[in-house]
Amino acid sequence: MGKYSRADLLKEELSLIGSSDFFGRFLQKVNKTSSVLLTIEVPLNLYLRAEVFCEDIHELAEMPFVQNDLINLLYNDFLTYAKKNPDPRALFRLLTSLDQQAGKNTRLEKKGESVFKLSHKDVHQEMKTMQLRMRRKFALRGEVLLADMEEVQPKHGYTLERVFELLYIDFIDKFRKGDNAAAIKNILALLED
């Protein structure tokens, strides 16, 4: 079995399952309610754009909203997608698609009088390191999904941190380009619930 995050929650959880001693059972209960700290890296320009986005949400909702909240919302959406589509192959295709778009400039190039081709150009960007705090049980759920993917796509190489990076980059890049105009409205509706 692979390691699906730097925290390696799956390995820890498997070692505690079936523990018959008091300390093992106690530790398992505490782990379910604890949080975990993960480190991700995102392009600096997108980090700045996300910071402005979060400030807009904060002002419109009149409640605190930081980048950690944004990433948790994106990740919850990803988990909901995985619940509705419990196919590890579909999940792998989604991550692969996001991975192919991440960190690339996309543009239409004219190849003829009426023929255009979508081209992707790698962009080397300065990165920003972020600390992400989330509930341990949700992080563990992501590791389980990545372990399921390993069954159909051995050595896929995805980690929980990479999933967060891909979701973040995809969301902010689409928002920045105007492809996700309803994002603020949707997040405000979620925060009202």
Side-chain angles (χ1 to χ4, degrees):
M1 178 177 307
K3 185 175 176 179
Y4 303 106
S5 79
R6 287 184 200 112
D8 205 5
L9 303 172
L10 189 57
K11 181 181 177 185
E12 183 181 317
E13 190 71 18
L14 288 172
S15 72
L16 291 174
I17 290 178
S19 180
S20 59
D21 67 338
F22 172 76
F23 182 71
R25 289 192 314 261
F26 175 75
L27 194 56
Q28 193 171 14
K29 285 185 180 188
V30 168
N31 279 346
K32 290 196 183 292
T33 59
S34 66
S35 63
V36 63
L37 188 66
L38 300 170
T39 303
I40 65 171
E41 288 194 353
V42 297
L44 188 58
N45 66 325
L46 294 182
Y47 174 83
L48 181 59
R49 184 60 188 101
E51 195 66 25
V52 171
F53 177 84
C54 290
E55 287 173 8
D56 291 345
I57 296 291
H58 171 78
E59 289 171 7
L60 291 168
E62 297 178 350
M63 63 188 306
F65 190 82
V66 295
Q67 292 208 37
N68 199 105
D69 299 324
L70 173 63
I71 294 172
N72 277 310
L73 281 177
L74 296 173
Y75 182 61
N76 286 337
D77 193 42
F78 172 77
L79 291 178
T80 301
Y81 171 83
K83 285 178 190 175
K84 292 179 180 177
N85 303 289
D87 177 8
R89 286 178 184 85
L91 204 55
F92 179 74
R93 284 190 298 271
L94 171 69
L95 292 176
T96 303
S97 170
L98 293 175
D99 210 359
Q100 289 171 349
Q101 302 297 323
K104 298 181 179 179
N105 276 347
T106 306
R107 64 177 188 196
L108 284 176
E109 291 181 356
K110 193 169 185 174
K111 292 291 184 184
E113 194 164 311
S114 61
V115 178
F116 292 88
K117 180 183 177 196
L118 189 64
S119 69
H120 305 285
K121 180 181 171 194
D122 284 329
V123 178
H124 298 288
Q125 304 175 46
E126 189 175 343
M127 301 299 275
K128 167 74 174 159
T129 301
M130 295 176 61
Q131 298 291 318
L132 172 63
R133 181 166 301 282
M134 69 178 323
R135 291 190 56 195
R136 185 183 189 283
K137 75 177 199 174
F138 294 123
L140 178 62
R141 184 174 293 243
E143 285 195 25
V144 169
L145 291 172
L146 294 173
D148 290 348
M149 271 178 36
E150 191 86 25
E151 298 291 322
V152 298
Q153 190 64 42
K155 299 182 182 180
H156 57 69
Y158 287 106
T159 62
L160 201 51
E161 289 89 351
R162 185 63 182 154
V163 170
F164 293 137
E165 291 166 358
L166 292 173
L167 295 172
Y168 180 96
I169 290 168
D170 179 65
F171 178 83
I172 297 300
D173 196 44
K174 283 181 179 170
F175 182 77
R176 177 176 67 94
K177 292 176 180 175
D179 296 338
N180 200 355
I184 291 178
K185 180 181 166 187
N186 293 341
I187 289 176
L188 289 172
L190 283 171
L191 293 176
E192 287 178 3
D193 287 344

